[in-house]
Amino acid sequence: MAAKRIDSWVVSDDFWARVEPLVPARVAAVRKKYLRKPGAGRPPKPARQVFEAIVYVLRTGCQWKALPKERFGSASAVHKRFLEWEKAGFFESLWMIGLAEYDQMEGIAWRWQSIDGAMFKAPMAQQAVGPNPTDRGKKGQQAPPAGGRAWRPVVDHRDRGQRQ
């Protein structure tokens, strides 16, 4: 019997049990003043479904609007909750707790952690890698402005009613 394949974005019961206490409580929007009949409108999405949708976006790299509607419902509702949770610090606390748990399990050599980065071209790389392939040798004049017109029209004023 073949083992059942689980998608990488599906949140297990064990993982959800550790994440659920961190999920911020919903707060009513203060700036909206409208009355709704009891039971009217869509019920809020369960937090687990929202979290699973966020994990889906992170794992697949898809846009919010590309979320499968049949699985997650309204993508804009999921994104709205994502922004609420981000503002409440949910993801930072999830990251910190996950990091502490990993440190207990595996141990992190904090003394040896470092970060490095560069946001400019390496000065000696030109000889090693050659010219930038996107330049295509066009070092001269820039492209004309949008619309195809030069900055100043050739004719100062044209009366469309007169023929030349």
Side-chain angles (χ1 to χ4, degrees):
M1 184 174 187
K4 183 181 176 189
R5 183 179 169 273
I6 297 175
D7 292 313
S8 64
W9 48 268
V10 174
V11 176
S12 68
D13 292 337
D14 180 44
F15 185 57
W16 179 245
R18 296 189 323 228
V19 171
E20 188 176 21
L22 303 173
V23 174
R26 302 249 8 220
V27 292
V30 184
R31 51 194 168 110
K32 291 185 179 179
K33 299 283 184 188
Y34 56 89
L35 297 175
R36 196 185 278 180
K37 293 180 184 175
R42 293 184 185 137
K45 292 189 178 311
R48 182 173 180 163
Q49 185 181 12
V50 173
F51 185 71
E52 210 166 74
I54 293 168
V55 172
Y56 182 89
V57 169
L58 293 173
R59 293 289 297 158
T60 63
C62 75
Q63 296 177 352
W64 289 106
K65 291 291 182 184
L67 277 168
K69 191 170 192 165
E70 61 279 354
R71 169 82 179 165
F72 303 114
S74 168
S76 59
V78 171
H79 185 251
K80 182 180 177 185
R81 290 281 289 279
F82 166 76
L83 294 175
E84 288 173 9
W85 290 0
E86 181 188 23
K87 188 174 182 181
F90 166 71
F91 299 106
E92 185 175 354
S93 61
L94 182 64
W95 176 75
M96 289 172 61
I97 288 174
L99 192 62
E101 186 176 317
Y102 182 81
D103 190 20
Q104 287 176 351
M105 290 171 33
E106 300 289 329
I108 299 174
W110 293 106
R111 193 173 62 178
W112 295 102
Q113 299 303 310
S114 66
I115 189 167
D116 187 17
M119 296 300 293
F120 53 89
K121 294 180 181 179
M124 305 302 278
Q126 186 67 30
Q127 293 81 14
V129 298
N132 183 345
T134 59
D135 287 344
R136 291 185 236 114
K138 298 179 182 177
K139 295 288 185 192
Q141 176 179 340
Q142 290 184 348
R149 288 188 61 167
W151 174 249
R152 295 189 181 199
V154 178
V155 180
D156 287 337
H157 175 71
R158 178 183 293 173
D159 187 355
R160 294 188 186 269
Q162 294 179 346
R163 293 195 176 232
Q164 293 181 359

